[in-house]
Amino acid sequence: MNSPRLSLVHPTSNPFARNAAQALAEIGVLHEIITTTAYHPDGTIARFLQQLPVSVSDPLQQELLRRAWPPPKGVPLRSYPWYEILRLALLKLKVSQALKLGKHGPIDWVYKHLDRQVAAHHLNSITGIYAYEDGAASTFHAAKARGILCLYDLPILYYKMAQAIQREEADQFPELACSLQAIQEPEWKLQRKQQEIELADHIFVASSITQQSLLTEGISPNRITVIPYGSPTAYFYPLSKQDSTFRALFVGRVGARKGVHYLLDAWSKLALPQSELMLVGVNEMPSHWWDKTPNSLRYIDSVPHHQLNHYYSQANVFVFPSLVEGFGLVLLEAMACGIPIITTPNTAGPDIITDGIEGFIVPIRDSLALQEKIEWCYEHPTELAAMGQAARKKAEQLSWSRYQTQLANTVQSLLADHRQL
């Protein structure tokens, strides 16, 4: 009997896709990886970029370096890069929004093109396909016709719950609606999301809140597996804090979906001596919102990922009050740096910490709860330091190898069941 062969599809290189591929390779079932850009500094794309003006090629190369994806030994990696190259060029040239292609560029082109390529050219002689949200509808349709096992990874809340939460927020804060992406998605895209869920034989999620968003829609719990992501403890670690300022830190897109407006409201009411709220990430808030904030707020635009270790380590507490989140890898990054967290149930917080041990869980949309927890952190430095030590210890337990083992075991079981059909 032939061994099972399973291909993994993801448009970009990110930690959870790379670790999923490694997990499948470790058990000997990974047939190939299909993506858009798996950048190599000496490859064809790099040579093409050398022909462009430096003002275009340098920022593109910096972006593509983040997409490096060295495949597991012996596993081929197929790439379809040009749609993604075009999208990045439109963004770097700052013409995407002028062409009405959105602030993230024509990302839907990228996902749909890769999905069509996989459906047309990459389903021969495989047992299963492992694909991610927004990039699986065409692939799963074609795979089902061939009896191929369809494994689906949903990294954020199912769109119906995400839309409901964000519509409520837009009703309460109309001026923030422009940053609430889920309520702006076209009907054809929502239909694709629905098709992907319906066609999937099994769904992998990283948090209980994402699982709940599926259960609410009547998806059988037998079709869902929750496996939290891993912590980057190898390259995020505690560093000495360089000053005595009490600092609350947020990292991520600075916008309404992340609950930043509630954090700003809580901070403006605290007025803590020798303290600072630091926000790091792309700003999605209207400019007049900054007028309401005190001088103790510091905003830093998006920084290279490898520099975040410094920012985490200069904080006393990491605050992530997100309304809609599939997981929030920044939580584990902060914990790996020995920083306790304050977050909401709509992240992976309940899956990765115990309230009051490594940090705190507060309700979404609750400025008062944020205010109270931040103030407690300010007034209890010794206890807070102990929380930070507990956070680092917990991060070490939540390793990527743990994620890989759990994913590999589940996939092996699903493949065994599929072969018996």
Side-chain angles (χ1 to χ4, degrees):
M1 185 177 293
N2 294 331
S3 299
R5 293 151 55 94
L6 193 149
S7 295
L8 182 140
V9 187
H10 193 279
T12 60
S13 170
N14 62 35
F16 53 80
R18 292 195 299 269
N19 278 278
Q22 188 63 42
L24 300 177
E26 289 290 334
I27 56 174
V29 301
L30 185 58
H31 172 58
E32 67 177 347
I33 298 168
I34 309 119
T35 187
T36 58
T37 52
Y39 185 64
H40 193 290
D42 298 321
T44 303
I45 296 173
R47 291 193 292 272
F48 168 76
L49 292 179
Q50 290 173 4
Q51 309 305 312
L52 300 177
V54 172
S55 60
V56 176
S57 63
D58 278 2
L60 275 175
Q61 188 173 44
Q62 289 301 314
E63 182 68 28
L64 289 169
L65 282 170
R66 299 170 51 197
R67 312 299 181 87
W69 192 343
K73 185 177 181 180
V75 176
L77 188 148
R78 318 296 183 190
S79 62
Y80 295 88
W82 298 112
Y83 275 67
E84 178 66 354
I85 296 291
L86 173 61
R87 183 185 76 85
L88 292 175
L90 291 170
L91 288 177
K92 297 304 178 183
L93 293 170
K94 302 185 185 303
V95 298
S96 179
Q97 288 185 281
L99 296 174
K100 297 183 179 180
L101 295 173
K103 61 186 176 183
H104 303 302
I107 188 69
D108 293 331
W109 296 0
V110 177
Y111 277 66
K112 288 179 66 177
H113 177 255
L114 182 64
D115 186 21
R116 289 195 297 267
Q117 295 299 320
V118 175
H121 305 295
H122 292 274
L123 298 180
N124 295 325
S125 303
I126 63 172
T127 312
I129 191 85
Y130 192 108
Y132 289 76
E133 183 192 32
D134 291 333
S138 298
T139 295
F140 281 180
H141 273 295
K144 281 289 185 180
R146 300 183 181 209
I148 294 170
L149 179 68
C150 294
L151 304 180
Y152 187 58
D153 199 303
L154 182 64
I156 196 166
L157 300 190
Y158 186 46
Y159 80 91
K160 291 188 178 181
M161 179 180 281
Q163 278 193 326
I165 294 171
Q166 293 185 58
R167 283 198 188 104
E168 292 170 359
E169 208 61 25
D171 290 343
Q172 188 172 354
F173 299 97
E175 67 272 33
L176 301 182
C178 62
S179 68
L180 296 167
Q181 184 178 351
I183 63 175
Q184 302 172 40
E185 291 187 327
E187 184 60 31
W188 66 262
K189 188 173 181 179
L190 301 181
Q191 290 177 359
R192 278 177 58 88
K193 293 177 186 286
Q194 185 75 33
Q195 291 167 9
E196 288 171 349
I197 288 293
E198 291 173 353
L199 291 167
D201 293 301
H202 200 80
I203 306 165
F204 292 91
V205 300
S207 66
S208 298
I209 186 63
T210 305
Q211 179 189 42
Q212 187 57 50
S213 73
L214 292 168
L215 296 176
T216 300
E217 297 304 317
I219 307 298
S220 169
N222 295 330
R223 291 179 60 204
I224 308 168
T225 296
V226 182
I227 307 176
Y229 296 142
S231 176
T233 51
Y235 50 93
F236 278 92
Y237 44 83
L239 298 172
S240 297
K241 194 170 184 295
Q242 297 175 351
D243 59 30
S244 59
T245 298
F246 174 84
R247 187 170 290 110
L249 173 69
F250 168 90
V251 174
R253 289 195 170 272
V254 182
R257 181 172 75 83
K258 304 286 187 176
V260 171
H261 47 311
Y262 294 103
L263 175 56
L264 293 175
D265 181 56
W267 188 259
S268 66
K269 294 173 181 175
L270 280 167
L272 302 173
Q274 199 177 354
S275 66
E276 178 180 78
L277 172 62
M278 181 185 290
L279 308 177
V280 179
V282 176
N283 179 37
E284 297 180 344
M285 300 292 287
S287 58
H288 72 271
W289 274 82
W290 301 110
D291 298 335
K292 306 176 184 179
T293 58
N295 293 332
S296 57
L297 170 71
R298 180 150 60 118
Y299 168 69
I300 297 171
D301 202 352
S302 183
V303 301
H305 190 252
H306 69 272
Q307 293 181 10
L308 285 176
N309 201 148
H310 166 77
Y311 291 98
Y312 287 126
S313 296
Q314 300 316 304
N316 298 85
V317 63
F318 181 72
V319 190
F320 194 66
S322 193
L323 309 181
V324 175
E325 204 71 41
F327 189 88
L329 282 169
V330 289
L331 296 171
L332 284 175
E333 291 173 357
M335 291 169 63
C337 293
I339 308 303
I341 63 175
I342 300 173
T343 191
T344 71
N346 287 21
T347 70
D351 298 284
I352 62 176
I353 73 165
T354 300
D355 186 49
I357 303 299
E358 299 91 3
F360 298 105
I361 308 292
V362 301
I364 62 168
R365 302 189 175 113
D366 196 332
S367 296
L368 180 58
L370 288 169
Q371 181 182 338
E372 290 174 347
K373 294 304 182 186
I374 294 171
E375 187 170 29
W376 184 94
C377 293
Y378 179 86
E379 293 177 346
H380 297 81
T382 302
E383 293 90 336
L384 188 64
M387 275 189 167
Q389 293 172 359
R392 170 66 191 189
K393 184 176 181 180
K394 189 64 174 288
E396 291 171 351
Q397 297 170 4
L398 294 166
S399 65
W400 276 115
S401 62
R402 179 176 180 268
Y403 169 84
Q404 290 177 17
T405 298
Q406 291 181 329
L407 180 64
N409 289 342
T410 305
V411 169
Q412 280 185 312
S413 177
L414 292 168
L415 286 170
D417 292 344
H418 181 71
R419 295 178 75 178
Q420 293 175 8
L421 296 178

